[in-house]
Each structure stands twice: as C-alpha cells, then as structure tokens.
Amino acid sequence: VQTCALPILKVMIWKESTIYNYDRFVTTNVDPMRRVNPEWRARIAKWSYSVVDHFHLSRECVAVSMNIFDRYFARKTYDANNVDADAVLLVSCATLSIAVKLMEVDVLSLETLSRFSRGKYTTNQILDMEWTVVTALDFYLNPPTAISFASHLLLLLPNEINERDRHEDRKSTR
C-alpha cells in the first residue's frame, strides 16, 4: 500500500499544478474570488456539508463541489464583478450534484437537490446548469483535494502506528 501512495501523490501534485491549476481557468483581470460574495460562498459550503452529512455521503464531495464551483466562476465572464444570489445557489446545486455523481455510488437525485433549494430550482434547471458547468470547465471535473492528499499521506505512516491511532488520524483529517 505504501509503495502505491507515493506515485499517486506525485500524479496528484502534477494534476494540481497543471490541469487543475486555478489560474488556468481565470478569464479576466478582475479577481474571480470576489465575483461571489464571500459570505454566500461560506453559506454554500455550510449548506453543502449539511446535505452530504444528512445523506451520509463523503465530505470529499463538498471539496470537489467547491473546487468546481470556484473554477466555474473563475472561467465564467460576467458583466458585473459580482454574481447574484440566485446564480450562486443554482450553480452550487449543480456542482454538488456533479461531485456526488463523481464520488459516490448512490447518487443524490435532482429532485432532492430541488427540495434542498426550497423548490427555487426545478430538476431541469439544475440539470441544465450541470451541463453549463461541465462544458465551461472542458470536462475537468476530478481535481485532487486536500482530503485525497491527506488520505494518501496517511498511507505513508510507519507500520508501527496502531490501527486505533490510524483511525483517529483519518477521522481528524476528514
């Protein structure tokens, strides 16, 4: 297992510095991270964690979703520097759906996401936004995450570390 971790980590570092490098997706001189109100982004992350926790899904789904969310808004060109709350919520529903499809065996239905948006968006609107996001990012949807880095780094721990301590390390990393 340890012998596999190092080559995987090298590939993840390469992907992060090339294919998924955030600057590669920036299309304007305006700071893309300022397009979305930081308070809204924080609420989206909190909302996403509550959804995945409610359905007992991997929290890594949120890391992937937020990565896709940020790169989408970096790539997308808007007339104004800021994006309205409706666009933020719709994109977040779409990116969470994409992430769950990538990371999980059980898929979170679009009907469920529509309900979690308090009925603000229909399943077709979320599905259409998924396609918009996927094509805007040229299908680059599987970024390395901090959780995946940490999981592989934990595999490099010495064999002398007992299973209980390894479990605690994995739990605190999550």
Side-chain angles (χ1 to χ4, degrees), residues 1-12 152 155-156:
V1 173
Q2 286 181 337
T3 57
C4 294
L6 207 48
I8 291 170
L9 283 165
K10 287 179 181 179
V11 170
M12 289 169 49
H152 285 86
L155 294 173
L156 298 175

Side-chain angles (χ1 to χ4, degrees), residues 34-83:
R34 294 289 168 216
R35 288 184 184 156
V36 175
N37 180 322
E39 291 175 20
W40 293 348
R41 188 183 180 286
R43 277 191 248 155
I44 291 299
K46 186 176 179 180
W47 172 81
S48 298
Y49 279 116
S50 70
V51 171
V52 299
D53 289 347
H54 178 80
F55 290 101
H56 307 286
L57 302 171
S58 166
R59 294 186 123 215
E60 191 169 10
C61 289
V62 177
V64 171
S65 175
M66 295 307 293
N67 181 290
I68 294 170
F69 178 91
D70 290 340
R71 287 185 298 116
Y72 173 74
F73 281 113
R75 168 74 41 106
K76 194 68 180 152
T77 308
Y78 289 94
D79 293 331
N81 291 342
N82 294 318
V83 180

Side-chain angles (χ1 to χ4, degrees), residues 7-38:
I8 291 170
L9 283 165
K10 287 179 181 179
V11 170
M12 289 169 49
I13 291 167
W14 175 81
K15 284 174 70 175
E16 187 175 64
S17 64
T18 58
I19 297 170
Y20 290 97
N21 184 314
Y22 179 77
D23 291 338
R24 186 171 165 258
F25 294 89
V26 176
T27 57
T28 180
N29 291 335
V30 177
D31 179 8
M33 291 307 286
R34 294 289 168 216
R35 288 184 184 156
V36 175
N37 180 322

Side-chain angles (χ1 to χ4, degrees), residues 107-169:
V107 178
L108 191 61
S109 74
L110 293 177
E111 291 82 10
T112 300
L113 280 172
S114 177
R115 281 196 310 275
F116 268 85
S117 77
R118 296 188 177 122
K120 189 164 187 112
Y121 301 107
T122 66
T123 57
N124 284 337
Q125 287 173 306
I126 297 169
L127 188 61
D128 289 345
M129 182 52 71
E130 279 186 37
W131 182 248
T132 300
V133 169
V134 167
T135 55
L137 298 180
D138 298 325
F139 293 83
Y140 290 111
L141 303 173
N142 197 9
T145 63
I147 294 170
S148 59
F149 273 106
S151 297
H152 285 86
L153 287 170
L154 289 172
L155 294 173
L156 298 175
L157 290 174
N159 292 332
E160 295 78 34
I161 296 179
N162 67 48
E163 190 54 40
R164 193 182 105 252
D165 289 341
R166 287 176 186 276
H167 176 72
E168 283 302 312
D169 289 341

